[in-house]
């Protein structure tokens, strides 16, 4: 656990000073050079404050720091670029960083970005940079002091900014700790993270941060009549789990609107009998990225004690191949009572989400429903790894979510939901079918399928994170979790309070 202290950067062995690329740099470096006794000219020549640029020097006067890192934030820093610059720095320097590092928010330059945002991004990035992926490696690499001990970040800032910096840094730390937990869940292989194990992790967090968790095992799921979830899980040796969470702030003065979240919790997707090819199948351990994001938002809402009434459900299951698996052509029931023709067993996410949405809607009558899921390859083909797909029946919700995405750097792109697409999921034998059978507009017809289950709700959004939940990262050889959706939904929730 990393801690933060304030106004105490004297005598740290490593001092980090962020600089945004602007005209003030030379002046600031010259002042610093006099104070700490180093050659201003050489630093000005070598350091241009480009985004992610790092220059390390050993100053002549070591009273304040043995080593200074100049960290470039580029000409137009954003919440995302600040976070990434610091994450990049920590990951690169991890083995060399001491137990306590200083973060100087006085000596550098930060352009027009509020200091609270620099503090949040810096702390978030530093802490994420300590994430270690080799959870199951038997010969552990030697880890850095910042990582292995009770590392700490000593922040220096002016008195008049102290309050806002404290808020920003505290939030950056809280978010990063939850994101690291979510990285672990998404990167965990399916033999370590089964649906019931996911339930246990959520329960532990609920106890720690004070939100309510109710778990339903497969027997209880039968009683709840979540037929679509049961259909997906019937071919799996690990039983399904239905996880329900609720957070309600204490000392509630007025009735708050209820925000409802649903996350796709497929702990492994083989495709079922419509089996996937093997080349990328191992990545399907990340098919619970939506569930992990929903869990992360719940944990943070409770941890930061946001004035939000939040309910969240996770239908958790594997999608496996077995004699008992659902078969293409089968007709299944769902909690809503609507029947579904299975065209492709690999379109399992929408089945379990349908039951999750129906349950949430009927039990809690939320004012807003947002579901988030690694739902379609079609969304990846359309948007690549740069944005998640947004599908909604409400223009105001669209603009709130799009704005939240732009401001935190977890981008969304809105797709059309025209009624003409409904014909793609019309079935001759059942009420609806789970796949059009055509290689076109797959992300949209998946969203249309979900829309069929919202029972007239007028404020619903679906977020397809198939391309962004699991991605290439600089310091890892394979794809890794991104925790996409946490900062997005958190920033949406914060926007509701303004
Ligand atoms: N879990 C996948 C979607 C996915 C694809 C996530 C790539 C992450 C990366 C989903 O369950 C799936 O298999 N969807 C199928 C649906 C199709 C059969 C209608 C797809 O998109 O190919
Ligand atoms: Zn699938
Ligand atoms: Zn899937």
């Amino acid at each position: 656990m990393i801690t933060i202290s304030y106004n105490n950067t004297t005598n740290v062995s490593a001092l980090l000073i962020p600089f945004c690329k602007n005209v003030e740099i030379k002046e600031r470096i010259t002042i610093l050079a006099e104070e700490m006794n180093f050659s201003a000219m050489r630093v000005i020549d070598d350091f241009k404050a480009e985004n992610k640029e790092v220059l390390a020097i050993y100053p002549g006067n070591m009273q304040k720091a043995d080593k200074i890192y100049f960290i470039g934030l580029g000409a137009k820093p954003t919440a995302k670029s600040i976070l990434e610059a610091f994450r990049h720095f920590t990951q690169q320097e991890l083995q060399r960083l001491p137990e306590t590092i200083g973060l100087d928010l006085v000596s550098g330059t930060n352009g027009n970005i509020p200091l609270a945002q620099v503090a949040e991004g810096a702390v978030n990035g530093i802490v994420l940079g300590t994430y270690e992926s080799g959870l199951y490696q038997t010969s552990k690499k030697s880890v850095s002091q910042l990582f292995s001990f009770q590392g700490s970040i000593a922040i220096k800032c002016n008195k008049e900014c102290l309050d806002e910096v404290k808020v920003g840094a505290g939030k950056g730390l809280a978010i990063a700790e939850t994101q690291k937990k979510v990285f672990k869940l998404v990167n965990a292989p399916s033999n370590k993270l089964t649906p019931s194990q996911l339930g246990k992790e959520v329960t532990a967090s609920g106890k720690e941060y004070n939100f309510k968790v109710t778990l339903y095992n497969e027997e209880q799921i039968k009683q709840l009549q979540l037929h679509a979830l049961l259909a997906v899980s019937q071919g799996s040796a690990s039983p399904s789990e239905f996880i329900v969470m609720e957070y309600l702030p204490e000392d509630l003065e007025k009735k708050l609107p209820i925000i409802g979240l649903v996350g796709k919790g497929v702990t492994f997707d083989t495709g079922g009998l419509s089996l996937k090819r093997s080349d990328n199948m191992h990545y399907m351990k990340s098919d619970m990225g939506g569930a992990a994001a929903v869990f992360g938002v719940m944990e943070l809402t409770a941890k930061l004690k946001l004035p939000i009434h939040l309910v969240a459900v996770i239908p958790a299951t594997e999608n496996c191949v077995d004699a008992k698996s659902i078969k293409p052509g089968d007709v299944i029931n769902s909690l809503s009572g609507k029947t579904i023709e299975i065209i492709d067993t690999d379109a399992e996410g929408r089945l379990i989400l349908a039951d999750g949405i129906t349950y949430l809607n009927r039990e809690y009558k939320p004012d807003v429903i947002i579901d988030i899921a690694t739902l379609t390859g079609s969304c990846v083909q359309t948007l690549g790894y740069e944005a998640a797909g947004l599908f909604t029946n409400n223009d105001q919700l669209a603009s709130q979510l799009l704005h939240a995405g732009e401001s935190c750097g977890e981008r969304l792109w809105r797709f059309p939901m025209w009624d003409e697409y409904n014909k793609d999921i019309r079935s001759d034998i059942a009420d609806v079918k789970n796949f059009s059978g055509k290689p076109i507009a797959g992300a949209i017809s998946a969203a249309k399928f979900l829309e069929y289950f919202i029972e007239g709700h007028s404020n619903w959004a679906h977020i397809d994170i198939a391309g962004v939940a699991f991605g290439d990262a600089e310091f890892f050889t394979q794809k890794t979790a991104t925790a996409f959706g946490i900062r997005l939904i958190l920033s949406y929730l914060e926007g509701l309070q303004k």
Side-chain angles (χ1 to χ4, degrees), residues 107-380:
S107 312
T109 58
N110 57 301
N112 292 325
I113 300 270
L115 219 48
Q117 215 174 316
V118 180
E120 180 184 329
V123 172
N124 195 341
I126 290 169
V127 179
L128 284 190
T130 65
Y131 175 71
E132 222 215 354
S133 65
L135 203 60
Y136 305 102
Q137 284 167 351
T138 49
S139 55
K140 279 230 153 179
K141 287 171 273 171
S142 65
V143 285
S144 81
Q145 298 197 46
L146 182 66
F147 180 77
S148 58
F149 297 101
Q150 298 286 317
S152 71
I153 305 169
I155 299 182
K156 180 184 177 187
C157 72
N158 290 327
K159 243 202 193 128
E160 61 274 17
C161 304
L162 185 61
D163 287 344
E164 58 163 325
V165 165
K166 273 188 176 170
V167 172
K171 201 172 135 200
L173 178 64
I175 296 176
E177 299 283 2
T178 296
Q179 284 172 315
K180 274 172 63 172
K181 209 185 252 189
V182 164
F183 287 170
K184 265 194 190 164
L185 292 175
V186 177
N187 288 334
S190 69
N191 63 332
K192 305 284 181 193
L193 190 83
T194 56
S196 66
Q197 188 56 36
L198 181 59
K200 285 188 187 132
E201 305 276 348
V202 174
T203 305
S205 166
K207 286 211 175 86
E208 187 173 355
Y209 296 108
N210 220 10
F211 60 89
K212 190 175 154 200
V213 181
T214 314
L215 299 181
Y216 297 95
N217 63 24
E218 203 153 275
E219 263 320 299
Q220 295 162 317
I221 295 173
K222 280 183 192 147
Q223 281 157 19
L224 291 177
Q225 305 197 17
L226 304 181
H227 302 294
L229 171 59
L230 289 165
V232 175
S233 80
Q234 72 193 37
S236 163
S238 308
S240 55
E241 189 94 20
F242 189 62
I243 307 167
V244 180
M245 298 162 259
E246 181 172 19
Y247 172 73
L248 194 62
E250 289 164 16
D251 53 44
L252 195 64
E253 280 160 22
K254 55 177 191 284
K255 197 175 171 295
L256 293 169
I258 303 176
I259 312 295
L261 305 177
V262 186
K264 172 178 173 183
V266 174
T267 56
F268 196 81
D269 184 9
T270 66
L273 289 176
S274 315
L275 193 62
K276 285 183 184 295
R277 308 163 42 129
S278 63
D279 42 6
N280 284 322
M281 201 202 279
H282 58 292
Y283 288 137
M284 283 301 125
K285 67 179 183 178
S286 67
D287 210 18
M288 34 59 73
V294 159
F295 158 66
V297 172
M298 178 56 75
E299 178 173 287
L300 275 165
T301 304
K303 203 195 282 186
L304 299 171
K305 299 191 164 64
L306 299 184
I308 301 278
H309 186 176
L310 191 66
V311 285
V313 304
I314 296 175
T317 178
E318 291 178 345
N319 185 23
C320 287
V321 184
D322 185 82
K324 292 194 184 124
S325 297
I326 41 168
K327 302 182 249 341
D330 284 359
V331 173
I332 64 163
N333 202 350
S334 63
L335 173 63
S336 69
K338 291 177 177 128
T339 56
I340 305 164
E341 181 186 8
I342 305 299
I343 300 298
D344 194 310
T345 63
D346 199 8
E348 85 297 341
R350 63 198 75 179
L351 302 175
I352 68 169
L353 289 172
D355 273 357
I357 290 171
T358 308
Y359 180 89
L360 180 73
N361 216 350
R362 291 186 179 175
E363 291 297 314
Y364 293 95
K365 303 194 172 28
D367 296 275
V368 185
I369 301 178
I370 300 173
D371 75 74
I372 177 160
T374 47
L375 206 65
T376 66
S378 158
C379 190
V380 191

Side-chain angles (χ1 to χ4, degrees), residues 449-468:
F449 180 91
L450 297 177
E451 189 187 39
Y452 193 67
F453 292 88
I454 61 175
E455 300 185 321
H457 200 291
S458 57
N459 208 3
W460 157 76
H462 157 59
I463 299 172
D464 191 336
I465 55 168
V468 290

